[in-house]
Amino acid sequence: VAPTTTTAVPTTTASPTTTTAVPTTTAPPTTTTVAPTTTTAVPTTTTSPPTTTVPPTTTTEVPTGPLGTVVECSDRDRHRYCVAAGGPVAPIGIDVYGRKVGYTPEILCATDVSDLVCTEVTRTILIGMAEWGTYGPLEYWVQGLDEDAARDLIEVNCDRRAQRGHRNRAICVIDHAERDHGMLSYQRLGVEAIEAGRPSGSAGHNGGRQWNMHFFTSSLPWGFTDQFDVPGASEQKTVLHEYFHAVQHAQLMTTDHEFRQEGGLGPVWFVEGGAEWMAQATLDRLREDGTVPEVNAEGRGSFVFEEEMRWKMVSGLEDIAGCPGDQLHDWGYDHCRTGAYDLGAWAHAWLSHRFGSDVLLEVLFPVLDARGWDAAFEHAYGLTPAQFSDEFDGFLAWDLDDQLAILP
């Protein structure tokens, strides 16, 4: 899936990669107690990095127990490091890609990033793992505003990649400093937001299948900071959106990058709309039952599920008005992008309402790798993608109140 790109965040709602409403009455708890974590010992021996870009395979007993949502953080050389408290870290070189395992995600933050940011990113990923399964190994790198700290984090990343035989260290450093979606570009997004006086940023699943892992990079998540008025729930939604991309990617075992990027997971509306819908609907439910803590809610803008979806319908319809004659499958990252994200979320809302909220995870995903997306979609929903597109076009003509009435 192409990584998320930068979009400005309005003061009342967030960009396609940030959003969800938060009551404004409570302050964030510092910890949340959950089921005990698995403490299976995991070998951590390392070997000299191979000359190829394919990491060696390690054989070990793989933990599958629950991780919980208690976070443990520590200051490391040139970065801050957070994991699930007591959770085992995946050994170097292990190949458990596509399996639900008990390894903790690893969140690595630049040294100028606050403890709250790093802690809440970790906690939110753990909440997503508790909901959808623990897919990994997973690294989530968070940049702040200081360029020197950002370059230090790049050095830490490239040391890892080289030590594990993933890539050449020097090339890694150059790429992250110069290319689009390199780690330095995420730091610059934060600086640009400060200079513009408007909260904007980006986060993305930026590959890792070739290394049997999920690799994420994020700019500074404003809702977990004391800057701007973005509510913390907006960032919780964004992190859940990104983690759901790991769930999606884990369904395909191929290492063929082009296949994965050009339709193996489905069209953009299905991939991005699916991540957005699952994040929005899940966050709403878990905030309602108290599973997700309130973070930076008081005095911030609101984040209400129904209002977020209302905005998505309005903005999505406005966007596709500039793409006459196009249908769902035509919308992409460079063409009717807002429609792909926002109306894609509504497409999943419609599918969930009509066929059940568990069909995506329990019926479509298990056959995606073997059958391909078109056949898997028809297997799950009893409609060809073209038939669904025609029916969804009819739904888009409904009155907005009737559309909102299908939400859970």
Side-chain angles (χ1 to χ4, degrees):
V1 177
T4 317
T5 57
T6 310
T7 46
V9 181
T11 57
T12 56
T13 183
S15 70
T17 61
T18 37
T19 30
T20 5
V22 175
T24 59
T25 56
T26 58
T30 55
T31 57
T32 302
T33 303
V34 291
T37 57
T38 299
T39 56
T40 306
V42 180
T44 57
T45 56
T46 58
T47 57
S48 299
T51 56
T52 64
T53 57
V54 180
T57 301
T58 301
T59 302
T60 186
E61 183 178 351
V62 177
T64 57
L67 287 169
T69 57
V70 179
V71 177
E72 181 178 87
C73 296
S74 59
D75 290 323
R76 303 287 183 91
D77 181 32
R78 297 175 297 171
H79 69 289
R80 185 158 181 79
Y81 179 80
C82 294
V83 293
V89 176
I92 295 173
I94 194 168
D95 181 4
V96 289
Y97 193 91
R99 295 168 56 183
K100 293 180 180 180
V101 295
Y103 293 120
T104 178
E106 296 177 89
I107 287 66
L108 302 96
C109 302
T111 54
D112 66 318
V113 173
S114 73
D115 292 350
L116 179 65
V117 169
C118 218
T119 298
E120 292 306 326
V121 167
T122 309
R123 190 200 315 275
T124 307
I125 291 175
L126 291 171
I127 288 169
M129 287 179 163
E131 282 294 304
W132 305 316
T134 304
Y135 291 99
L138 184 150
E139 296 176 6
Y140 201 103
W141 300 74
V142 184
Q143 290 284 27
L145 301 177
D146 182 79
E147 183 172 336
D148 288 340
R151 290 185 181 277
D152 280 346
L153 194 64
I154 289 172
E155 297 283 340
V156 173
N157 178 274
C158 294
D159 284 345
R160 272 196 169 217
R161 302 285 75 85
Q163 290 164 2
R164 300 177 184 205
H166 294 166
R167 61 184 311 198
N168 176 276
R169 187 186 185 285
I171 294 175
C172 173
V173 171
I174 292 170
D175 280 353
H176 279 304
E178 297 182 359
R179 67 176 172 82
D180 288 342
H181 303 294
M183 290 175 64
L184 193 61
S185 72
Y186 287 86
Q187 176 264 336
R188 288 171 176 160
L189 290 175
V191 173
E192 290 166 3
I194 293 292
E195 292 173 345
R198 294 189 63 195
S200 61
S202 180
H205 183 295
N206 288 317
R209 174 63 183 104
Q210 69 275 33
W211 309 321
N212 299 319
M213 60 170 282
H214 299 278
F215 174 69
F216 294 87
T217 314
S218 173
S219 59
L220 189 61
W222 300 113
F224 296 150
T225 75
D226 58 3
Q227 303 191 61
F228 300 116
D229 65 349
V230 178
S234 176
E235 304 302 350
Q236 291 168 328
K237 189 279 301 180
T238 296
V239 175
L240 288 174
H241 174 119
E242 294 307 326
Y243 179 65
F244 197 76
H245 282 322
V247 178
Q248 294 168 326
H249 276 264
Q251 310 309 313
L252 293 184
M253 296 309 296
T254 177
T255 58
D256 185 333
H257 178 76
E258 295 301 321
F259 174 79
R260 298 172 72 83
Q261 294 296 92
E262 296 178 7
L265 291 171
V268 175
W269 75 261
F270 185 81
V271 177
E272 296 296 351
E276 188 64 15
W277 167 250
M278 292 298 285
Q280 290 273 2
T282 301
L283 181 63
D284 181 61
R285 173 171 55 81
L286 296 182
R287 290 178 66 214
E288 182 74 19
D289 68 17
T291 300
V292 174
E294 298 288 2
V295 178
N296 280 356
E298 189 171 355
R300 304 278 181 131
S302 63
F303 196 90
V304 180
F305 174 53
E306 290 79 5
E307 290 306 309
E308 293 296 316
M309 294 302 291
R310 179 189 296 273
W311 174 80
K312 288 182 182 300
M313 179 60 74
V314 172
S315 64
L317 289 175
E318 289 177 351
D319 188 54
I320 65 170
C323 313
D326 289 349
Q327 290 186 304
L328 227 57
H329 63 270
D330 298 311
W331 308 338
Y333 293 108
D334 300 316
H335 178 71
C336 287
R337 177 189 173 88
T338 299
Y341 276 72
D342 292 348
L343 297 184
W346 269 105
H348 279 275
W350 186 90
L351 289 167
S352 178
H353 171 72
R354 179 166 173 182
F355 298 102
S357 60
D358 59 347
V359 171
L360 177 64
L361 291 173
E362 298 184 14
V363 182
L364 191 152
F365 278 173
V367 301
L368 178 61
D369 192 56
R371 299 192 182 193
W373 183 79
D374 288 69
F377 185 93
E378 186 171 359
H379 166 77
Y381 300 114
L383 297 169
T384 66
Q387 289 170 333
F388 165 69
S389 183
D390 289 340
E391 293 202 25
F392 186 64
D393 280 346
F395 171 74
L396 293 179
W398 290 14
D399 289 338
L400 181 55
D401 286 344
D402 293 332
Q403 293 167 335
L404 291 167
I406 77 167
L407 297 176

